[in-house]
Amino acid sequence: MALVISLIVTLWIGYLIYKRYKPHAVLAIGGFILMYLAVILGYGTILDVKASTGSLLFDTFEFLRKTLSSRAAALGLNIMCVGAFARYMDKIGASRALVRLTIKPRLKLKSPYIVLASSWILGMCIGLCINSASGLAMLLMVTVYPILIGLGVSKVAATAAVASTLCFDWSPSDTGTILSAETSGLNPVVYWTDYQVPIVLVAFIVVGILHYLTQKYMDKKDGHVVKPMEVTDAPTDKTVEADTAPLYYAILPVIPLSLILAFSPLWIKSVKVNIINAMFIGLAIGMACEFIRKRDFKAVCADVQVFFDGMGMQMANVVTLIVAGEVFAKGLTSMGVIKTLITGSQNAGFSPMLMMLVMVAIIAVSSIVMGSGNAPFFAFAALTPAVAQASGIAPVLFLLPMHFAASIARTCSPITAVIVVAAGMANISPFDLVKRTAIPMAGAMLVNVAMTFFYYYKG
């Protein structure tokens, strides 16, 4: 019964989102309904005894408060600062300066879609140091996206390459990687080098080719004409403020990314610079350059308001959507849906590899519906050793494809943070964006499953 109720509520929510209802409210309402039903029907609880308010009616709102508080203070602040920095770079013309500086040598490749595919691979490599898919996407929307647009690809094609750059959460410092390694009984470094890296290296080739073919074909199908922007060494339009920035402004959008990469475990370990620090340092340097350029301190201070307005927009549009998605995910877990699906698969007597495929399918569907990769994966991970033991298979061969399936499927969800963030910055529909990511991500999922089979039969 719990599974039926959850399916009905999920389909209802999916229908409303498809009909363009605001997903923030719809997801939160659906999560509240499931949480209330879970307690009333005896399927689960909302909060443990110590955290409970003492009232079923108020416990859902307490969960919402705690989730919003934790997200706003951590992931939310990252998202707000990066999005705000992107708006400031656009305001002072630094993004256009970056395009003018970099577009000429890239034009010599004669194929903007090769640049697009290579940009996806570059983003995946940068993702080793930046574990936030939405944070990385926003950094690349400031740096790579304007270059791709300048080369002539469509907005949706360029955004698809950027938004899918961390479709594999493969960093050794990623929380999912650490959890998978520990649950599998492996050292995180060994788990990364022996299992994750080979899969991602194969994906570089497969997904890179699929991005090239998909974006080129769909741009042509949509009637998009590839027309690189005209580039001169001087600003192109003196009447547009964004075109009057000097060429050295091209370095400003790259400063935060350079700081994060330089002061990371892969290079300088003695100094730590997180995303928020990097954004504020970049803002300060940008303000200094603006003062040198304009010699008007009042105008420089006025322009900074764009940064803070950007933070507010990200909070209103992105962070709240993430929280709403987590409320819905909590509703599903409270109803015991995950446990029910696992138990049913075990009782059906599935073979080890078929059981793995079932787990991957459940994770993928949950990630798309919830708009989160971590929520369903973290919910399943703790149950995996018991399932693996019952199936006679090494836990890593369950956790590895499940972990990657969550992040891959997340990139196909129109309500997930990275898609919403990238689509918002490009001013396109998230639904149009996931149409462009679907085929490359299908290839990524195929690589994920095929390589897991390879490991199974190799072992």
Side-chain angles (χ1 to χ4, degrees):
M1 178 62 76
L3 190 60
V4 174
I5 294 173
S6 299
L7 180 61
I8 292 173
V9 173
T10 300
L11 290 175
W12 174 64
I13 289 175
Y15 173 77
L16 292 180
I17 293 176
Y18 175 76
K19 287 294 184 180
R20 306 292 182 177
Y21 281 67
K22 197 70 174 178
H24 303 63
V26 172
L27 287 168
I29 292 171
F32 274 33
I33 291 173
L34 289 175
M35 282 189 273
Y36 286 135
L37 289 176
V39 176
I40 293 172
L41 299 176
Y43 293 123
T45 59
I46 301 172
L47 300 172
D48 57 39
V49 177
K50 291 183 179 180
S52 176
T53 63
S55 167
L56 168 62
L57 180 64
F58 297 157
D59 275 357
T60 51
F61 292 96
E62 174 63 10
F63 176 80
L64 175 61
R65 182 199 66 80
K66 291 176 66 176
T67 305
L68 180 60
S69 177
S70 63
R71 284 305 187 192
L75 173 64
L77 191 55
N78 283 335
I79 291 173
M80 287 188 285
C81 286
V82 176
F85 180 76
R87 286 176 60 86
Y88 184 70
M89 288 295 101
D90 183 62
K91 171 66 177 177
I92 66 177
S95 297
R96 295 280 292 187
L98 178 65
V99 173
R100 294 202 310 272
L101 180 67
T102 57
I103 195 172
K104 277 189 174 181
R106 289 172 181 261
L107 284 172
K108 294 179 181 179
L109 290 174
K110 304 295 184 181
S111 177
Y113 294 98
I114 291 179
V115 178
L116 183 148
S118 63
S119 297
W120 175 80
I121 296 174
L122 174 64
M124 280 290 297
C125 294
I126 296 174
L128 287 170
C129 301
I130 304 174
N131 297 334
S132 168
S134 52
L136 174 60
M138 282 185 286
L139 286 170
L140 296 177
M141 286 297 289
V142 177
T143 53
V144 173
Y145 173 81
I147 296 170
L148 295 177
I149 295 299
L151 288 169
V153 305
S154 69
K155 290 167 60 176
V156 67
T159 309
V162 169
S164 59
T165 46
L166 205 55
C167 60
F168 288 92
D169 287 335
W170 70 308
S171 171
S173 59
D174 175 68
T175 53
T177 297
I178 295 172
L179 176 64
S180 296
E182 291 180 351
T183 307
S184 301
L186 297 172
N187 180 282
V189 176
V190 173
Y191 175 75
W192 179 68
T193 56
D194 291 1
Y195 290 93
Q196 289 189 321
V197 170
I199 291 179
V200 174
L201 290 179
V202 175
F204 278 170
I205 300 171
V206 175
V207 180
I209 292 173
L210 287 175
H211 259 308
Y212 172 86
L213 297 174
T214 300
Q215 308 314 330
K216 185 175 183 178
Y217 171 77
M218 296 191 76
D219 271 1
K220 185 176 181 180
K221 182 180 178 182
D222 291 343
H224 175 76
V225 178
V226 177
K227 185 179 180 181
M229 64 177 284
E230 294 182 4
V231 181
T232 61
D233 293 330
T236 57
D237 188 352
K238 296 293 185 179
T239 65
V240 180
E241 184 179 359
D243 275 328
T244 62
L247 200 57
Y248 72 84
Y249 266 43
I251 196 174
L252 296 181
V254 187
I255 287 175
L257 183 59
S258 301
L259 290 172
I260 294 168
L261 292 176
F263 301 104
S264 71
L266 297 180
W267 195 3
I268 303 174
K269 301 179 182 179
S270 58
V271 179
K272 296 181 180 179
V273 176
N274 58 37
I275 291 177
I276 298 171
N277 288 342
M279 293 304 123
F280 280 116
I281 293 170
L283 173 65
I285 295 174
M287 291 176 63
C289 291
E290 279 288 272
F291 178 73
I292 294 171
R293 171 189 170 197
K294 294 182 177 179
R295 301 291 181 177
D296 186 343
F297 185 62
K298 185 177 182 180
V300 171
C301 291
D303 286 346
V304 175
Q305 187 61 39
V306 171
F307 182 91
F308 298 113
D309 289 344
M311 291 184 71
M313 289 181 63
Q314 294 298 318
M315 178 66 185
N317 297 323
V318 180
V319 179
T320 51
L321 179 57
I322 295 172
V323 172
E326 292 197 39
V327 170
F328 179 61
K330 175 64 176 179
L332 288 175
T333 54
S334 296
M335 289 290 288
V337 172
I338 294 174
K339 283 188 177 181
T340 300
L341 291 173
I342 291 177
T343 302
S345 299
Q346 286 179 305
N347 293 338
F350 290 163
S351 65
M353 284 293 96
L354 185 56
M355 186 66 183
M356 181 273 290
L357 290 176
V358 170
M359 298 286 281
V360 166
I362 293 172
I363 286 283
V365 172
S366 300
S367 295
I368 294 173
V369 171
M370 295 180 182
S372 168
N374 285 340
F377 175 67
F378 286 178
F380 274 103
L383 305 173
T384 302
V387 178
Q389 184 177 7
S391 303
I393 189 175
V396 67
L397 296 184
F398 271 106
L399 288 160
L400 177 67
M402 286 167 55
H403 180 207
F404 279 163
S407 55
I408 292 169
R410 173 189 65 202
T411 315
C412 296
S413 172
I415 61 172
T416 196
V418 62
I419 295 296
V420 173
V421 165
M425 293 179 71
N427 196 27
I428 61 176
S429 166
F431 292 89
D432 291 337
L433 180 55
V434 295
K435 291 178 183 177
R436 293 296 190 102
T437 61
I439 294 177
M441 292 307 97
M445 189 69 77
L446 182 61
V447 170
N448 178 36
V449 172
M451 287 295 289
T452 303
F453 272 82
F454 170 76
Y455 285 129
Y456 175 72
Y457 290 110
K458 179 184 176 182

